[in-house]
Amino acid sequence: MEQRFKSLSLFEFMKRYPDNESCLSHLAKLKWSNGYTCPKCQHKKSCAGASPLSKQCTRCRYVESPTAGTLFHKVKFDLQKAFCIMYFVSTNKKGISSTELARKLELGQKTCWKFKMKVMKAMKSSGNYPITGTAEVDETVFGQQEKGVRGRKNVNKKLVVISIEKKGNGVSRLYARVIPHADAASLGGFMKDHIAPSAKITTDQWTGYRPLVKDFENLVQIPSGSKGGNFPEMHRAIMMVKGWLRGMHHHVNYLQDYLNEYCYRFNRSYLKEGIFDNLLLRMVNSPPCFVKNFSD
Ligand SMILES: [Zn+2]
């Protein structure tokens, strides 16, 4: 087997994080890797706090745990199990459902679902690495038209704009965003976050893209061809995401979070062994998120 395509094995993972203490100590190391600063008074000196591996500010006496202020904030089950959820979500090729996580980890399904939602928040694209080469952009509808609800607002359908980066014969990166309308404002906002102004972009002839040539000088519009025949890679990419969503979630609630999860894994498939560490670092560097703030 070729070493460089090796992913982090479950065995290696368990060796690294054999118990809750090793997980907590790893979090502490990541959290204070650039030294300590009190979040309340910005003081730089601390002593050990009462709870394990916590730090107490020597000026204002504020005590901070390694999980405070991160996406692990107030996690109410074993930290090692939280690490396991991240391991499965990041290393399973197609991700993993909360039902299956619950079975594997002897936790409640709801508990797994809530924590997985937090993991998905950490998977949101930073927008720091826009596509600079060859890109295609298209929009598509997710979800089904429900029978008997014609004429009413259909909450089971969502409009999504997708961008792919083409390399060789394949797709090297993928971004997706739920948008309210296929207008220049929504399409352009997404494109500015994920595609460099100089990139070579192809779209179909939809009028929403037309005003965007002023921001993207190399944007060209071509007919989509019968059944999207002029955009075969884009067509396949859309089919893949839709197929995954159908198999995994059966609905379009929290669609943006699921798209983030899909794109995160897709765009980092080259990382293999490093993908768990990347996700862990993001979890530590992301602010806490509470269930009441989950939006669909
Ligand atoms: Zn302080």
Side-chain angles (χ1 to χ4, degrees):
M1 188 167 71
E2 257 194 283
Q3 276 308 98
R4 64 198 176 96
F5 293 124
K6 211 182 88 186
S7 61
L8 179 63
S9 72
L10 182 58
F11 182 71
E12 185 57 38
F13 171 79
M14 295 312 282
K15 257 199 325 204
R16 272 200 223 171
Y17 308 106
D19 46 36
N20 290 325
E21 290 69 37
S22 55
C23 295
L24 193 66
S25 111
H26 198 76
L27 286 188
K29 215 185 290 172
L30 285 178
K31 176 167 177 165
W32 290 302
S33 59
N34 296 320
Y36 168 85
T37 303
C38 173
K40 297 285 169 195
C41 75
Q42 273 66 54
H43 193 53
K44 301 277 183 195
K45 285 200 176 103
S46 69
C47 56
S51 58
L53 297 175
S54 64
K55 287 183 187 286
Q56 183 166 30
C57 174
T58 56
R59 186 155 74 192
C60 75
R61 315 306 293 167
Y62 177 74
V63 179
E64 194 186 5
S65 71
T67 56
T70 74
L71 276 173
F72 294 98
H73 197 74
K74 296 207 161 108
V75 163
K76 295 205 174 47
F77 55 94
D78 281 352
L79 206 47
Q80 195 193 19
K81 292 191 177 184
F83 273 47
C84 284
I85 292 179
M86 292 161 54
Y87 174 80
F88 289 125
V89 173
S90 63
T91 61
N92 274 13
K93 201 172 171 215
K94 295 192 162 179
I96 185 164
S97 70
S98 53
T99 316
E100 202 172 344
L101 284 170
R103 257 199 305 270
K104 280 186 195 289
L105 300 171
E106 299 178 344
L107 290 168
Q109 182 268 331
K110 194 88 188 168
T111 303
C112 292
W113 181 82
K114 282 184 196 166
F115 189 73
K116 197 187 150 192
M117 287 299 285
K118 296 181 185 188
V119 174
M120 285 152 75
K121 298 285 176 203
M123 289 175 149
K124 186 176 183 230
S125 165
S126 62
N128 289 342
Y129 304 99
I131 297 171
T132 53
T134 307
E136 284 178 6
V137 184
D138 198 3
E139 36 0 280
T140 182
V141 173
F142 274 68
Q144 298 296 314
Q145 179 77 50
E146 250 189 326
K147 284 191 182 80
V149 292
R150 241 171 102 188
R152 265 190 278 160
K153 188 172 180 266
N154 191 337
V155 291
N156 293 312
K157 264 169 81 175
K158 278 177 183 163
L159 186 62
V160 172
V161 54
I162 294 186
S163 173
I164 57 172
E165 176 187 57
K166 287 186 11 175
K167 235 174 213 169
N169 291 324
V171 174
S172 46
R173 272 194 288 168
L174 193 149
Y175 295 103
R177 180 181 292 174
V178 179
I179 51 171
H181 309 285
D183 54 9
S186 301
L187 297 169
F190 166 78
M191 287 165 65
K192 280 173 199 164
D193 285 344
H194 296 296
I195 307 175
S198 59
K200 196 171 162 291
I201 307 168
T202 312
T203 71
D204 61 21
Q205 291 177 310
W206 170 244
T207 51
Y209 296 109
R210 205 161 296 155
L212 299 172
V213 288
K214 67 178 192 312
D215 300 307
F216 299 93
E217 50 185 319
N218 298 316
L219 189 154
V220 290
Q221 293 189 274
I222 62 169
S224 68
S226 76
K227 291 182 182 168
N230 289 338
F231 295 88
E233 292 91 354
M234 173 61 89
H235 195 68
R236 260 200 307 277
I238 291 175
M239 287 299 131
M240 258 164 43
V241 186
K242 284 186 174 174
W244 171 76
L245 195 78
R246 250 194 319 272
M248 185 66 79
H249 308 293
H250 327 289
H251 58 69
V252 291
N253 300 336
Y254 309 104
L255 180 58
Q256 186 63 59
D257 294 299
Y258 287 111
L259 293 173
N260 291 348
E261 181 198 338
Y262 186 93
C263 294
Y264 177 88
R265 252 194 323 269
F266 185 92
N267 294 347
R268 280 163 198 77
S269 49
Y270 66 90
L271 269 180
K272 298 287 183 188
E273 207 160 359
I275 195 166
F276 177 81
D277 297 307
N278 178 278
L279 184 57
L280 194 57
L281 194 61
R282 281 166 166 251
M283 294 286 292
V284 171
N285 291 334
S286 302
C289 163
F290 301 100
V291 177
K292 61 177 189 311
N293 300 331
F294 291 173
S295 64
D296 65 352

